[in-house]
Amino acid sequence: MAEITQRDGAWSFDGEAIRIVPGRDRNVHVVRQALGELTVPLVALAGVAYEPGRKSGRLRLRLREGADPLSQATGGKLPDAADPYQLPVEPDRRDLAEYLVDEVRQALILEQVPAGPCDRYVLPGPSVPISASAGDATASFDGERVRLDWNWKTEESKKSGGPRTILLPDLEMVEWVPAAGLENGYLRFITAKATATAAPKYDPHAVVLYGFKKDPLMALVAAAVMARMPHPAAPAKALPAQPPAPQPPAPEPVPADARPARGDEGAADHDVLLRRLRELGDLHQSGILTEEEFTTAKQAVLRRFSDA
């Protein structure tokens, strides 16, 4: 067992998974407190590193692409303090951090865990029901529907429509973008029926984020929703087998009584055969006869010409 415990939190590795427990210190970010204890299986890891610093170091997990709904939702844009897969390391814990890194790396090699992307979520994402208040709304998700309740900061035109409810099957995409500089961020739920989207300030399917400390809590709602949507890299479902196409009817043989008697200089026989050729051509052009069936029937008619 490799383990490191300090005020900011504790990590331990038992050979199969890393257990992450946030610290109880009041300086621990609200996102890590809201997530609570996490268990990261070895198969979700692409790597681990200890990054030394002048005063303190940092442990950092690198997850496989697509393994974690939270990482998928945030795209690596969570603030360091809110990122549950980072741990500031106090100077006197450096040896413990390096030992944990060595143990995890050795296990990854022994278990031959691939570093490539996943086609399913290995981590379950935040539990539901979940709710977060930030920006101009409160976003809630119960596992089946998203509800957006507006507050006093909401643009009047958006608020006038009342609370917004979005069913999970109607969702096509979830976007979480943090505020940066003078630009606001947003959490947006895009439905399959949407043909265009307004600016988040006016979009009744979006929450505007102003860059405050609680904004990353909206990323937890986004991750909880995405965990219950189809994985973006999941193999496409095979289409149901189509019934076999109906076979075209076989060409009608030339009736025996339509053949004129020999001795009439073959004129009547030729007329019948020419008419039959035209009929076969029409059947072929309309798609009733395949190319192969048309060729076979035509050759049979032509043989009658030579016998006439």
Side-chain angles (χ1 to χ4, degrees), residues 269-289:
D269 198 8
H270 284 183
D271 289 342
V272 171
L273 295 176
L274 287 172
R275 185 170 66 252
R276 185 56 181 161
L277 281 176
R278 285 195 294 271
E279 291 173 354
L280 291 174
D282 292 341
L283 290 172
H284 178 241
Q285 289 181 356
S286 63
I288 295 177
L289 291 181

Side-chain angles (χ1 to χ4, degrees), residues 21-249:
V21 181
R24 296 182 178 180
D25 190 270
R26 63 181 182 180
N27 293 324
V28 175
H29 199 281
V30 291
V31 167
R32 293 175 57 202
Q33 293 176 359
L35 272 174
E37 181 178 323
L38 298 176
T39 300
V40 183
L42 197 64
V43 71
L45 291 177
V48 60
Y50 170 71
E51 302 167 353
R54 294 183 62 183
K55 293 184 178 180
S56 62
R58 183 176 297 271
L59 272 172
R60 190 188 304 268
L61 293 182
R62 184 165 58 89
L63 303 183
R64 294 172 62 192
E65 182 182 347
D68 173 42
L70 179 59
S71 301
Q72 190 77 23
T74 59
K77 296 177 181 178
L78 271 180
D80 286 351
D83 190 343
Y85 306 117
Q86 296 187 39
L87 180 69
V89 177
E90 298 166 8
D92 61 345
R93 299 290 195 276
R94 174 172 178 168
D95 290 345
L96 294 174
E98 291 179 338
Y99 175 65
L100 185 143
V101 167
D102 289 341
E103 290 292 297
V104 174
R105 286 178 175 172
Q106 184 176 1
L108 288 171
I109 294 173
L110 291 175
E111 296 297 328
Q112 297 183 344
V113 176
C118 298
D119 60 4
R120 64 180 181 87
Y121 290 123
V122 180
L123 292 165
S127 58
V128 294
I130 187 171
S131 180
S133 297
D136 68 347
T138 295
S140 308
F141 178 57
D142 62 3
E144 297 180 355
R145 60 185 62 82
V146 175
R147 179 182 170 94
L148 302 178
D149 291 284
W150 315 117
N151 59 34
W152 63 273
K153 291 174 282 188
T154 309
E155 172 70 24
E156 190 59 38
S157 61
K158 183 162 75 171
K159 184 191 296 185
S160 64
R164 179 68 55 167
T165 299
I166 309 164
L167 298 178
L168 186 63
D170 294 335
L171 278 174
E172 190 171 75
M173 186 183 302
V174 180
E175 292 180 338
W176 178 83
V177 176
L182 299 177
E183 295 291 328
N184 291 331
Y186 60 87
L187 169 63
R188 192 197 304 270
F189 299 95
I190 300 176
T191 63
K193 298 178 182 178
T195 56
T197 53
K201 181 179 181 179
Y202 305 102
D203 188 350
H205 291 164
V207 178
V208 179
L209 303 175
Y210 301 116
F212 298 126
K213 185 177 181 180
K214 289 188 176 181
D215 282 7
L217 288 172
M218 285 292 177
L220 300 186
V221 178
V225 175
M226 291 182 69
R228 290 155 182 84
M229 294 174 63
H231 192 282
K237 291 183 178 180
L239 295 175
Q242 297 296 320
Q247 295 295 320

